[in-house]
Amino acid sequence: MSTYIYPPFSFSCHLNHEYRINIIDGILDSNNSSLARAINGSRALVVTTPTVYKHYGKRFIQQARMQGLNFVCEVLELKEGKKTIESVEKICELSLTHGLGRSDVLIAFGGGVCSDMVCMAASLIRRGIRHLRIPTTLIGQVDAGIGLKGGVNFQGYKNHLGCFYPPSDVFIDPGLLITLSREALSQGFAEIIKIALVCDAELFRDVQLHGSSLLYSGFSQPEEAAYSIIERATKMMLQQLGENPYENMTSERLVDMGHTFSPYLEVASEFSISHGEAVSIDMALTSLISVELGLLSEHDAYVIINLLSDLGLPIWSPLMTRELCDSAINGMILHRRGELNLVVLEAIGYPQFVKKPYEIKCGLLDRALSRLALLDESPI
């Protein structure tokens, strides 16, 4: 028996989407109408966390009411350990409870986990409704809150389920960082250092110069450096994402620096090691792998590792074993379409890819791990 389809049918779909990144001062000020313009008369469901609501909930609600916004606010526990499909379902359930239609909007008002979960929910509700993001953490403002992706952890794998679903607007207000702990700011610095290492040596030097002051001032002093570092890191990140937004052009992504071993380390720690901390440890190890490959000078590797340490980030964990690294390498080969594509360095600002796993020979990886463990005990 044969089946024929006639006439032949083809369909072309271009995944083009434009969204706005707004670096703005005082998004919650009473005279700031930026959010109202972005919502543009739609009904809104605002999803936030207890910590963010404690610091900013009252101001947000007052401003929204003064501007006549039609919204409801829901406070949910959104942490890495609860980054599950069940939590996304809860947001979807709330959208039903509040009667959101296809012309309405979800708003993520929180850190990177909040952005991920709201993005995922927005992509599912009625097969897709609009969403906005107001990232309140440094890691959200320079990384998680400005990308196209949402995701949840699944069956012991970080972000194994997810989507590409860009927001319509992102509002980055450095003033919101003043309430963050130094630990939370350190995590954001890990992502800034990541993008500096692969794209912008001058940004790396700015972090060397001003990082400690920003860390101890709630990212407020020096003010000019705070805005400049966020703006440059954001622009570099968006430039990299713009070249391959849906990751269907290539699996070689410079923004994967620090993101080969770190997802497995987070899971192994049951998320007691945060994302930024895991990325820091990954970058420290990758720097020494680069030295062992004969690419990066020991001096530059120590400069990188010392900066991470100076900004309150860890460079080592006893969970970073050879077995964990092997699992990560095997997992990334599946994720990156058959190639390892480990981002290594020739110098700060000059990356390249290790495409094949056999290039990271057994002895080489063992030496890098041993050196990193010793550095943790006796810093340079």
Side-chain angles (χ1 to χ4, degrees):
M1 177 179 168
S2 299
T3 301
Y4 298 94
I5 300 175
Y6 185 83
F9 178 77
S10 64
F11 178 71
S12 177
C13 179
H14 299 285
L15 299 174
N16 292 328
H17 187 96
E18 184 176 280
Y19 63 100
R20 294 172 292 274
I21 306 293
N22 309 274
I23 301 179
I24 192 169
D25 219 358
I27 185 65
L28 300 183
D29 290 352
S30 58
N31 61 349
N32 193 320
S33 60
S34 301
L35 184 59
R37 287 196 300 271
I39 294 173
N40 194 29
S42 298
R43 297 176 65 243
L45 169 57
V46 181
V47 177
T48 191
T49 65
T51 302
V52 175
Y53 190 82
K54 172 187 172 184
H55 289 300
Y56 298 113
K58 186 176 180 180
R59 281 178 61 192
F60 185 97
I61 291 170
Q62 285 178 340
Q63 187 222 38
R65 286 177 176 166
M66 284 177 59
Q67 297 186 2
L69 301 184
N70 186 1
F71 77 102
V72 63
C73 185
E74 292 283 357
V75 181
L76 301 177
E77 283 280 356
L78 300 177
K79 299 179 179 179
E80 192 69 46
K82 292 186 176 182
K83 193 176 167 184
T84 63
I85 196 68
E86 289 78 15
S87 296
V88 171
E89 287 177 353
K90 178 62 178 177
I91 299 173
C92 295
E93 179 186 327
L94 290 169
S95 77
L96 275 178
T97 301
H98 298 297
L100 261 65
R102 294 191 80 175
S103 61
D104 297 326
V105 61
L106 280 180
I107 299 177
F109 186 31
V113 173
C114 183
S115 291
D116 271 1
M117 308 279 270
V118 167
C119 174
M120 186 92 167
S123 75
L124 295 171
I125 296 166
R126 303 185 186 278
R127 295 192 179 92
I129 65 171
R130 196 160 58 99
H131 75 292
L132 314 178
R133 301 176 190 168
I134 308 172
T136 57
T137 61
L138 182 56
I139 203 167
Q141 292 190 358
V142 300
D143 186 78
I146 62 173
L148 286 75
K149 295 191 290 190
V152 295
N153 305 328
F154 182 72
Q155 297 290 312
Y157 290 90
K158 185 174 170 66
N159 290 332
H160 190 69
L161 302 180
C163 63
F164 292 92
Y165 196 70
S168 57
D169 280 273
V170 179
F171 294 97
I172 297 172
D173 183 352
L176 296 176
L177 304 179
I178 193 69
T179 58
L180 290 185
S181 66
R182 284 198 292 272
E183 181 183 18
L185 288 172
S186 291
Q187 293 176 39
F189 268 118
E191 293 289 359
I192 293 172
I193 291 169
K194 171 201 77 177
I195 203 69
L197 287 176
V198 297
C199 292
D200 193 339
E202 188 175 339
L203 175 59
F204 186 90
R205 288 190 289 271
D206 285 347
V207 174
Q208 284 181 295
L209 187 61
H210 301 295
S212 293
S213 297
L214 292 168
L215 182 65
Y216 286 92
S217 67
F219 219 85
S220 63
Q221 298 297 325
E223 185 176 353
E224 185 177 345
Y227 278 81
S228 172
I229 286 173
I230 285 179
E231 183 177 27
R232 290 181 66 152
T234 300
K235 283 184 175 179
M236 290 295 105
M237 186 67 175
L238 291 172
Q239 180 180 319
Q240 290 300 312
L241 294 178
E243 294 174 359
N244 184 27
Y246 295 92
E247 299 178 23
N248 57 346
M249 308 294 290
T250 177
S251 293
E252 292 185 358
R253 303 173 70 242
L254 292 180
V255 294
D256 282 338
M257 173 68 173
H259 289 69
T260 294
F261 307 108
S262 58
Y264 288 77
L265 181 57
E266 287 182 68
V267 171
S269 75
E270 297 182 342
F271 302 107
S272 62
I273 296 176
S274 70
H275 178 66
E277 291 168 339
V279 169
S280 174
I281 294 168
D282 188 319
M283 290 191 294
L285 177 60
T286 301
S287 297
L288 291 180
I289 289 173
S290 302
V291 172
E292 293 291 337
L293 286 167
L295 298 171
L296 185 70
S297 71
E298 287 197 359
H299 173 270
D300 279 359
Y302 294 148
V303 166
I304 294 165
I305 291 168
N306 282 338
L307 180 58
L308 293 168
S309 185
D310 289 346
L311 292 176
L313 287 161
I315 62 166
W316 172 251
S317 164
L319 294 174
M320 186 66 99
T321 62
R322 170 66 187 284
E323 291 72 26
L324 182 143
C325 291
D326 286 343
S327 294
I329 288 169
N330 292 332
M332 287 304 162
I333 290 169
L334 291 175
H335 187 66
R336 296 169 184 168
R337 299 182 178 91
E339 304 281 3
L340 174 58
N341 289 336
L342 175 68
V343 185
V344 293
L345 298 170
E346 295 180 10
I348 294 168
Y350 294 90
Q352 66 169 261
F353 293 96
V354 173
K355 297 181 68 65
K356 302 297 182 183
Y358 63 75
E359 297 180 63
I360 309 297
K361 297 175 183 177
C362 300
L364 184 154
L365 182 56
D366 290 337
R367 289 195 301 274
L369 286 165
S370 297
R371 290 181 68 173
L372 193 58
L374 288 173
L375 277 177
D376 187 56
E377 295 175 3
S378 305
I380 299 295

